[in-house]
Amino acid sequence: IFNEHDEDDASSDYGSHERLGTALQRLVPDGNIPFPDIFQTNQLLFYERFKAYQDYMLGDCKASEVKDFTAEYLEKVLEPSGWRAIWRTEIFNVLVEVVDMDCTILKAVIRLVIPFLCEMKSCELNEESMNDLLEAKEHKVPLQELYVVFDESGEFDQTALAIEHLRFFYKHIWRIWDEEDEDDDFDYFVRCVEPRLRLYYDILEDRVPSGLVAEYYTLLSQCKEKYEEFMSLRNSMPTSDSESELDNISMVEGLKMYETMEGLKRKLKIIENPLLRYVLGYRVNSGVQTTVSKGPRPAKDKVVHIVSKSMTVCQLQCLMREKLCPDFSGEEFELQFHSDPLAAVNACYEGDVVIICPGHYIVNGSFSIPDSVELEGYGLTDDVVIEKKGKGETFLDCTGDNVKISNLKFLQHDAVEGILCIRQGKTTMENCVLQCETTGVIVRSSAELFMNICDLYGAKGAGVEIYPGSTCSLIGTGIHHCKDGIVIKDFTDELYSMARITMKNNVIHNNEGYGVVLVKPASLIQIKKPKNIDLEGRKYVLYIEFLIVYKENSVLGKNVEDECDEKGTSNMEDPCELPALGNCVTDNEQFMEHDPIESNNIIKNELISTSGKKKQLQKKSLLELGITEMDDNLITEELFISIQGNLFKLNGKGSFGTFFY
């Protein structure tokens, strides 16, 4: 239930709730035609739309009841006649007057306003041809295409708002496949409207990385296209019960389309769900990386870049005596001086070194490091601070073969992505402090991170995100005051092994959730129940299941339920039912912080178990591709995990948890 307390808590994220119900402003239409002003309705706050859909328009309706509820809402709030509007299409804009309503089909009955005002975009229409067009349409046009003309009396404010809510709903919330959703028995607002509305405003306010936004809209377009293909095939199939070869081929094609469409819809739900969007992240590079490796400097010399806002002779003598002479006297290095650390990094070639002197440096961009360079703070870590200002994506983006960062403190504010992302290559961090805001450190597939004696805190997501196929070594590092300490990810549809992880003598404490979370697909232990699909007017049963898992368990001579019981990884009453999205964390309360040694062993055993299952899945995938002779080294290196001496304490949900998706 949405109450005042919830509204107060959330209003800071999506606009002040005190502004709800404010008078609508006027908007001057674009173009050369002198159309009258219209109501400004496209700048509504999140909770204005939220309350309208929840309290008035949709309530607790099912997806199949949306049109009926919407029609009932419109009948109550729309003025039935006597108001003017601009009818907007892709071809023309024309001034009309509404004379009646047909809310059951979401249309208004209109007539042209005299004098005739019309703006053409791609064709020539006069008053006579426009009347002919209206005659063909029986003078009925969709309400979403009407923009109410401004009236100071306030009489038509609710009409303008209601049409805006209708227009926004069918443009940004409604999906053409929603009516056929198998979860139609559940509250449509809670299941679909709220998460999609929140995602829209998160994107609008730059809360979602650009890469994820692009991926979401690509998936949305693909799903719509696949749904239209599926519906076209289904409608073209004969209604007879003939078992011709053509019918069988069409049936197979239909089932393949359905599987593809369901996979796309599932990915969309993951991005729309705020929890899963944060926990699972995404598997594409966010944004386009414009920086490419420069390679060695053409003159084959190496440069030491000195960064300092100002420097006295005494400081320069100390720097020469303590750093430059001992470390760089054996080779010919050129010295270059900078006042901005970002400019120094951008000037680097392969093998260069950047030494940053004590000071508080504020940068308005991101560090992109495509070459093997070294960044080193000269002095105590807390004395060499680099702070990021302004909205942006990853603070440090490393793709070089061998990047080294040491003795630096990084501060991140108002961010969209994590503070450090290793996309490829090897990055070593020593004696660094990372004050985060979103996700902390992200280690992508095939990348390597070695973090020694560092301190990481403040992430609203995970302190460290480890992707499959990566290598991550955390030694003597503190991870605290994050949502979760470490998130280890696994995806069955990737040909990557489990990450190779070393965790020694770390202190993981005071995190809101778990110290360590393993994110893995429920398909490793569960099979979904059959779904009914209506093709050519008949009921066909299609098992949307993970066939490889089924074959694997059959070969091993055990069923899925037995495996669930043996491993103890699921506490659900029905072991064959997939957990609902957003409710997939198994809370291992018995493994709390009071016994760190036992917690280390639990994490290690769970990772080894998951790695073994995944390795068998990969082998079977290659077998299905016709590869009969396989070398284990071609699939994955032998998993070596060293997890020992770590201290877990005061983590909100415990030392270790598993998140099934």
Side-chain angles (χ1 to χ4, degrees):
I1 297 174
F2 184 82
N3 54 43
E4 294 182 0
H5 184 265
D6 295 332
E7 180 178 323
D8 291 341
D9 288 345
S11 62
S12 60
D13 287 339
Y14 296 96
S16 173
H17 66 283
E18 295 177 357
R19 292 177 56 191
L20 292 178
T22 54
L24 294 177
Q25 303 298 314
R26 70 168 68 217
L27 176 66
V28 179
D30 297 330
N32 299 322
I33 305 298
F35 284 115
D37 296 348
I38 60 176
F39 283 99
Q40 171 70 276
T41 57
N42 60 358
Q43 295 182 352
L44 299 179
L45 302 176
F46 168 82
Y47 275 102
E48 290 182 280
R49 300 191 192 276
F50 183 99
K51 288 178 70 66
Y53 294 137
Q54 184 188 52
D55 296 346
Y56 305 110
M57 184 171 167
L58 300 175
D60 58 353
C61 73
K62 304 174 184 177
S64 57
E65 300 171 333
V66 164
K67 290 183 178 179
D68 293 336
F69 273 63
T70 301
E72 183 179 352
Y73 161 72
L74 294 176
E75 287 177 354
K76 292 179 180 178
V77 299
L78 291 182
E79 290 292 331
S81 62
W83 49 277
R84 296 188 301 167
I86 299 177
W87 176 24
R88 289 182 174 176
T89 70
E90 296 180 355
I91 302 175
F92 58 80
N93 297 334
V94 62
L95 185 62
V96 298
E97 181 182 355
V98 175
V99 297
D100 199 2
M101 287 285 172
D102 192 347
C103 293
T104 57
I105 58 174
L106 307 181
K107 289 186 176 183
V109 181
I110 64 170
R111 67 184 177 194
L112 296 179
V113 170
I114 305 300
F116 179 65
L117 283 180
C118 184
E119 181 182 20
M120 306 303 172
K121 298 179 181 179
S122 59
C123 67
E124 291 296 330
L125 292 173
N126 54 29
E127 184 176 352
E128 183 180 355
S129 58
M130 186 63 68
N131 276 318
D132 292 340
L133 176 62
L134 288 177
E135 286 289 340
K137 290 179 170 288
E138 299 180 346
H139 288 266
K140 294 181 179 180
V141 299
L143 284 167
Q144 298 99 298
E145 296 179 359
L146 297 180
Y147 292 79
V148 183
V149 170
F150 183 80
D151 188 292
E152 292 182 350
S153 68
E155 181 180 356
F156 303 117
D157 284 23
Q158 291 303 315
T159 297
L161 273 175
I163 293 177
E164 169 61 26
H165 290 315
L166 177 70
R167 180 165 44 243
F168 183 90
F169 175 78
Y170 279 101
K171 184 176 181 180
H172 299 291
I173 305 298
W174 180 256
R175 309 286 183 251
I176 57 177
W177 52 82
D178 281 352
E179 270 190 325
E180 299 188 4
D181 199 324
E182 62 174 9
D183 294 327
D184 190 42
D185 291 338
F186 298 97
D187 187 339
Y188 179 71
F189 177 85
V190 174
R191 185 167 50 86
C192 296
V193 178
E194 182 179 0
R196 290 172 186 171
L197 185 61
R198 289 188 183 276
L199 176 62
Y200 173 85
Y201 275 88
D202 282 344
I203 293 174
L204 186 67
E205 299 175 7
D206 295 326
R207 299 174 184 272
V208 183
S210 59
L212 185 55
V213 174
E215 182 183 13
Y216 178 73
Y217 285 120
T218 299
L219 291 171
L220 198 59
S221 176
Q222 291 174 348
C223 194
K224 181 179 179 180
E225 180 181 348
K226 189 60 63 176
Y227 178 82
E228 291 174 349
E229 291 179 8
F230 176 76
M231 293 300 294
S232 176
L233 177 65
R234 188 172 74 174
N235 294 334
S236 66
M237 294 179 69
T239 56
S240 65
D241 292 332
S242 63
E243 298 295 335
S244 66
E245 182 178 353
L246 180 61
D247 290 343
N248 293 335
I249 294 175
S250 298
M251 182 63 63
V252 172
E253 290 179 357
L255 296 181
K256 289 181 178 179
M257 286 184 187
Y258 185 85
E259 288 185 25
T260 302
M261 187 174 63
E262 287 298 302
L264 293 171
K265 287 163 64 176
R266 184 167 179 266
K267 291 178 180 179
L268 287 171
K269 287 182 179 180
I270 288 176
I271 299 176
E272 290 168 353
N273 185 295
L275 175 62
L276 296 179
R277 183 163 72 242
Y278 235 10
V279 172
L280 294 180
Y282 55 101
R283 285 160 280 169
V284 297
N285 290 344
S286 58
V288 178
Q289 299 301 311
T290 57
T291 305
V292 296
S293 177
K294 297 179 182 178
R297 186 173 273 97
K300 297 184 179 180
D301 294 331
K302 294 184 179 179
V303 174
V304 177
H305 303 265
I306 309 297
V307 180
S308 180
K309 291 183 176 180
S310 63
M311 181 177 293
T312 66
V313 174
C314 181
Q315 290 172 335
L316 181 58
Q317 288 176 338
C318 292
L319 179 64
M320 292 289 295
R321 182 177 62 252
E322 297 176 4
K323 186 65 184 174
L324 297 180
C325 291
D327 293 348
F328 304 106
S329 59
E331 300 180 55
E332 288 296 327
F333 278 86
E334 177 187 341
L335 291 182
Q336 291 185 8
F337 290 86
H338 307 264
S339 60
D340 180 12
L342 185 57
V345 172
N346 290 338
C348 283
Y349 283 78
E350 185 82 13
D352 283 2
V353 178
V354 179
I355 298 177
I356 305 175
C357 296
H360 192 123
Y361 303 89
I362 296 177
V363 298
N364 288 299
S366 298
F367 289 90
S368 184
I369 310 177
D371 293 290
S372 297
V373 300
E374 295 184 28
L375 276 68
E376 181 178 351
Y378 173 62
L380 298 176
T381 302
D382 288 336
D383 293 336
V384 190
V385 180
I386 303 177
E387 181 177 359
K388 179 176 174 58
K389 286 291 186 180
K391 285 189 177 181
E393 304 204 351
T394 304
F395 194 0
L396 292 97
D397 195 300
C398 298
T399 55
D401 291 337
N402 192 3
V403 178
K404 296 181 180 179
I405 305 173
S406 59
N407 298 332
L408 292 171
K409 182 175 183 178
F410 295 95
L411 275 64
Q412 182 190 43
H413 303 287
D414 200 19
V416 177
E417 286 196 75
I419 196 168
L420 168 64
C421 181
I422 301 97
R423 300 189 186 278
Q424 62 187 45
K426 173 184 175 182
T427 297
T428 301
M429 297 198 76
E430 292 185 353
N431 196 32
C432 289
V433 176
L434 303 174
Q435 180 179 315
C436 314
E437 185 167 274
T438 53
T439 299
V441 177
I442 302 170
V443 191
R444 295 286 186 189
S445 300
S446 302
E448 299 179 52
L449 169 67
F450 294 85
M451 181 177 285
N452 303 326
I453 318 176
C454 294
D455 190 30
L456 189 157
Y457 59 91
K460 293 180 182 177
V464 179
E465 285 188 5
I466 305 174
Y467 276 69
S470 64
T471 298
C472 184
S473 175
L474 305 174
I475 300 176
T477 292
I479 302 174
H480 56 96
H481 294 92
C482 303
K483 183 172 179 60
D484 289 298
I486 300 172
V487 171
I488 304 168
K489 300 186 176 184
D490 176 44
F491 304 105
T492 53
D493 57 346
E494 299 277 6
L495 289 177
Y496 291 113
S497 64
M498 284 290 293
R500 298 182 294 279
I501 301 170
T502 300
M503 291 174 55
K504 293 183 179 180
N505 304 324
N506 302 290
V507 181
I508 303 173
H509 65 96
N510 289 98
N511 295 293
E512 181 183 340
Y514 292 93
V516 177
V517 176
L518 175 61
V519 178
K520 63 181 181 179
S523 60
L524 283 174
I525 61 170
Q526 295 160 333
I527 299 175
K528 294 185 74 172
K529 288 183 175 179
K531 301 177 182 179
N532 289 331
I533 303 171
D534 187 6
L535 284 174
E536 59 168 79
R538 297 174 292 181
K539 293 287 183 179
Y540 290 87
V541 178
L542 173 64
Y543 286 87
I544 306 298
E545 61 185 14
F546 296 90
L547 298 177
I548 298 176
V549 179
Y550 178 81
K551 293 176 183 177
E552 172 193 354
N553 287 286
S554 299
V555 172
L556 295 175
K558 63 172 75 174
N559 58 33
V560 176
E561 293 89 335
D562 293 337
E563 186 172 355
C564 292
D565 294 336
E566 291 173 15
K567 297 296 181 185
T569 53
S570 176
N571 56 4
M572 293 178 291
E573 294 181 2
D574 186 354
C576 287
E577 183 69 29
L578 275 175
L581 294 178
N583 298 306
C584 307
V585 177
T586 58
D587 196 354
N588 298 321
E589 294 293 346
Q590 67 268 35
F591 306 134
M592 296 297 283
E593 291 85 346
H594 61 270
D595 193 347
I597 296 177
E598 186 177 14
S599 298
N600 287 306
N601 291 333
I602 292 165
I603 297 169
K604 180 176 180 179
N605 293 337
E606 183 70 18
L607 290 175
I608 292 175
S609 173
T610 301
S611 175
K613 291 173 185 162
K614 182 156 190 174
K615 189 172 179 180
Q616 294 187 40
L617 290 177
Q618 291 167 340
K619 286 183 178 180
K620 292 186 179 297
S621 297
L622 293 177
L623 281 171
E624 291 188 351
L625 294 174
I627 303 174
T628 56
E629 295 183 4
M630 296 172 293
D631 184 350
D632 287 349
N633 293 326
L634 295 177
I635 304 176
T636 176
E637 295 181 19
E638 192 65 31
L639 184 68
F640 174 77
I641 299 176
S642 176
I643 301 178
Q644 60 185 6
N646 303 287
L647 178 61
F648 300 87
K649 62 179 182 179
L650 302 178
N651 294 299
K653 293 184 178 180
S655 300
F656 176 73
T658 305
F659 190 102
F660 295 109
Y661 70 95

